Amino acid sequence: MTNEQLIARIRAGEDEAENMLALWQRNKGFIAKMAKRYQGYAEMDDLMQEGYLGLCEAVRHYEADQGASFIHYAAFWIQQVMRRYIDNCSGVVRLPVHAREWISKYNKAVREYRQYYGESPTEAALCSLLGVGREKLHVIQESVQMGQIRSLSEPTVGEDDLTLSDTVASGEDLEADVMQALDRENMKRELWIAVNELPGDLSTVIRVRYQEGKTHKAVGQILGVSRNRAAQLEKDALRKLRLLGKSKKFRCYYEEYLSAAPIRHVGVERFLNTWTSEVEREALRQLEGTRRGDRWIKHIVRRAAREGAEVPEELEI
């Protein structure tokens, strides 16, 4: 039974499903050949399904009295349906049909030129091969770049369970983050060991002030002393922590991570008046042993307390 006879039965309503299946089986090879033209833009199975829809449209519109064979008439509908599917679904960025045609011509011209001459074509050569001006060529090249955009959820070649997003390098430096976390833990451990070794009520003052966040007045009430005495005890504790024998173990952490925090910027005008840079000024504070000279140790204690420093049971007072 010919295509035209099958179409006549379908149009007449005689066993439409069976006759449509027979028509599909009869022309399946022809549709597969057409689908191979667009195999680089979409999956073969999807193109075959679109080919079946195009075949149905051809049956709906075919007129035998026009003198054209069905297979030639159906080729137009099958091609249109496949192209429409590619335009709507095949790429991340939707490109019009005419743009895809120019992309195909451009890629073919570049490929053949490289095969023949062994190098990439110049703009002048491309304009000559495609028969376009430089402005039109630039538009085509932009379309080529847009057509190369891929989705991050697209599977990689040969790995169905691996997508492009899995292959993108992270901006995080995991090694540096891990090392810094270990340094912080060591810093907190060394610090609280030094605090535990402070004599008398000095250790209690530091813990109540920085771990519990109490005021000098509250510290005084806990120790049974005045507010001023509590403040003086805190100064004594910080001064002892700054002594080289105690601070050498954790001072390096301050210099690595926290040293920039207490340094105040010195402008050009102030520098011309004092001839002292911000680094020199900070060094003088520490050497003079002033109230601000205790700032670096306060930074470490506050940092350790803020991050929830845990003291080993054998070190607790």
Side-chain angles (χ1 to χ4, degrees):
M1 188 175 296
T2 64
N3 288 332
E4 287 74 12
Q5 290 174 335
L6 287 172
I7 292 169
R9 290 190 175 187
I10 294 172
R11 298 281 287 273
E14 299 179 9
D15 298 328
E16 294 183 26
E18 294 182 5
N19 288 319
M20 192 65 206
L21 179 60
L23 184 65
W24 162 253
Q25 294 292 342
R26 185 181 180 84
N27 297 279
K28 187 176 181 180
F30 174 76
I31 296 173
K33 289 182 180 180
M34 295 190 66
K36 287 181 180 179
R37 301 178 186 176
Y38 308 102
Q39 195 170 2
Y41 300 103
E43 296 291 335
M44 192 66 179
D45 291 342
D46 295 334
L47 292 172
M48 291 297 291
Q49 292 179 6
E50 295 299 318
Y52 179 81
L53 297 177
L55 188 68
C56 294
E57 288 294 326
V59 171
R60 190 175 298 111
H61 295 89
Y62 178 67
E63 296 294 340
D65 56 2
Q66 297 295 324
S69 64
F70 173 75
I71 194 62
H72 289 90
Y73 180 80
F76 169 79
W77 287 98
I78 295 170
Q79 184 182 45
Q80 292 300 312
V81 170
M82 287 183 180
R83 285 188 174 183
R84 190 180 304 115
Y85 171 77
I86 291 171
D87 294 337
N88 293 333
C89 305
S90 66
V92 177
V93 180
R94 188 181 186 280
L95 296 174
V97 176
H98 67 85
R100 293 191 179 277
E101 292 176 352
W102 278 113
I103 291 174
S104 179
K105 293 179 181 179
Y106 177 89
N107 291 333
K108 181 180 179 181
V110 172
R111 183 174 59 254
E112 292 179 350
Y113 189 95
R114 286 175 177 171
Q115 290 175 352
Y116 189 82
Y117 294 101
E119 60 181 8
S120 299
T122 62
E123 285 192 357
L126 286 172
C127 290
S128 177
L129 291 172
L130 298 174
V132 298
R134 288 184 180 272
E135 185 175 349
K136 176 64 176 178
L137 177 64
H138 294 162
V139 174
I140 296 173
Q141 289 174 334
E142 288 180 3
S143 298
V144 172
Q145 293 177 354
M146 295 291 288
Q148 293 174 346
I149 297 176
R150 294 291 180 265
S151 172
L152 290 176
S153 59
E154 178 180 332
T156 56
V157 178
E159 298 288 345
D160 295 337
D161 57 345
L162 187 66
T163 64
L164 290 179
S165 61
D166 297 327
T167 64
V168 177
S170 172
E172 299 178 355
D173 189 347
L174 298 180
E175 182 178 358
D177 292 342
V178 171
M179 293 302 296
Q180 189 170 350
L182 291 175
D183 281 346
R184 285 198 298 267
E185 292 299 321
N186 291 332
M187 178 190 72
K188 290 184 290 185
R189 179 180 178 86
E190 297 291 346
L191 173 65
W192 294 118
I193 289 176
V195 170
N196 287 338
E197 294 175 351
L198 292 174
D201 294 331
L202 300 184
S203 176
T204 304
V205 171
I206 294 298
R207 290 186 176 281
V208 175
R209 280 282 290 149
Y210 294 96
Q211 281 190 319
E212 301 178 16
K214 301 292 186 179
T215 64
H216 288 129
K217 182 178 180 181
V219 174
Q221 291 176 351
I222 293 174
L223 298 178
V225 297
S226 65
R227 177 186 178 282
N228 291 336
R229 178 56 182 164
Q232 184 60 46
L233 288 173
E234 180 189 357
K235 292 179 182 179
D236 294 341
L238 293 174
R239 189 174 298 109
K240 288 184 178 296
L241 288 174
R242 287 177 54 235
L243 294 177
L244 183 61
K246 292 184 177 296
S247 65
K248 63 182 180 180
K249 293 183 179 180
F250 50 84
R251 187 183 183 92
C252 58
Y253 302 111
Y254 167 81
E255 294 173 350
E256 178 71 19
Y257 301 114
L258 303 175
S259 58
I263 298 177
R264 296 183 180 179
H265 179 65
V266 175
V268 176
E269 183 177 356
R270 184 178 180 85
F271 177 76
L272 292 176
N273 291 331
T274 63
W275 289 101
T276 304
S277 68
E278 56 191 31
V279 176
E280 293 171 331
R281 189 157 59 105
E282 187 63 25
L284 289 174
R285 286 200 193 97
Q286 295 186 13
L287 291 174
E288 292 171 359
T290 61
R291 181 173 58 86
R292 292 181 179 179
D294 294 334
R295 186 179 302 168
W296 76 271
I297 190 64
K298 288 184 179 180
H299 270 281
I300 284 190
V301 175
R302 287 171 180 166
R303 177 71 172 267
R306 185 170 60 250
E307 295 183 358
E310 296 293 337
V311 182
E313 293 182 0
E314 62 272 15
L315 298 177
E316 291 184 353
I317 297 177

